[in-house]
């Protein structure tokens, strides 16, 4: 059950996931859904860096689910995963949502 509002993002918004470039699907103050070219597994810790002006917002989370996805729709094969944040600055996340989110 989701407790926080999730916000979507444009497909071309790149983020850094454990040192590799991925995509942010949605985000809230409690977690996010990501697309990663690198394998992710349940309970794995992940470090995200979200671009924000000339700096990046860093947060960490635990993978609560992950699944392999086949290539399609202009995307190469990779991993889709849901993360629950364990460390973040809520004010930074809220500013990021205001700046980059798209209507869902």
């Amino acid at each position: 059950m989701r407790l926080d509002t999730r916000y979507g993002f444009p497909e071309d918004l790149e983020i850094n996931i454990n040192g590799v470039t991925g995509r942010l699907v949605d985000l809230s103050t409690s977690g996010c859904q990501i697309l990663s070219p690198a394998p992710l597994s349940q309970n794995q810790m992940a470090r995200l860096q979200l671009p924000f002006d000339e700096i990046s917002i860093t947060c960490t989370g635990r993978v609560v689910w992950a699944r392999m996805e086949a290539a399609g729709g202009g995307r190469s094969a990779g991993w889709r995963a849901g993360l629950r944040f364990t460390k973040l600055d809520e004010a930074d996340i809220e500013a990021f949502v205001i700046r980059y989110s798209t209507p869902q």
Side-chain angles (χ1 to χ4, degrees):
M1 179 174 165
R2 290 187 181 156
L3 301 176
D4 297 316
T5 302
R6 296 245 174 198
Y7 297 92
F9 294 87
E11 287 189 27
D12 63 347
L13 180 65
E14 293 183 348
I15 62 170
N16 184 293
I17 309 155
N18 292 340
V20 297
T21 301
R23 302 274 186 256
L24 182 65
V25 176
D26 64 36
L27 174 74
S28 75
T29 55
S30 62
C32 65
Q33 183 180 160
I34 59 170
L35 295 171
S36 171
L40 295 167
S41 58
Q42 192 170 357
N43 293 321
Q44 175 182 348
M45 292 302 293
R47 178 184 164 119
L48 301 179
Q49 291 180 302
L50 308 172
F52 193 70
D53 294 332
E54 292 81 35
I55 62 167
S56 63
I57 298 169
T58 301
C59 44
T60 58
R62 182 173 304 280
V63 176
V64 293
W65 61 268
R67 70 174 185 251
M68 176 80 171
E69 288 203 342
R75 285 191 302 253
S76 53
W79 292 84
R80 181 178 294 264
L83 279 71
R84 173 154 314 273
F85 291 133
T86 57
K87 183 177 178 185
L88 79 150
D89 183 320
E90 284 190 33
D92 284 348
I93 296 297
E94 290 169 359
F96 184 84
V97 165
I98 290 167
R99 170 73 58 85
Y100 294 107
S101 69
T102 58
Q104 288 204 30

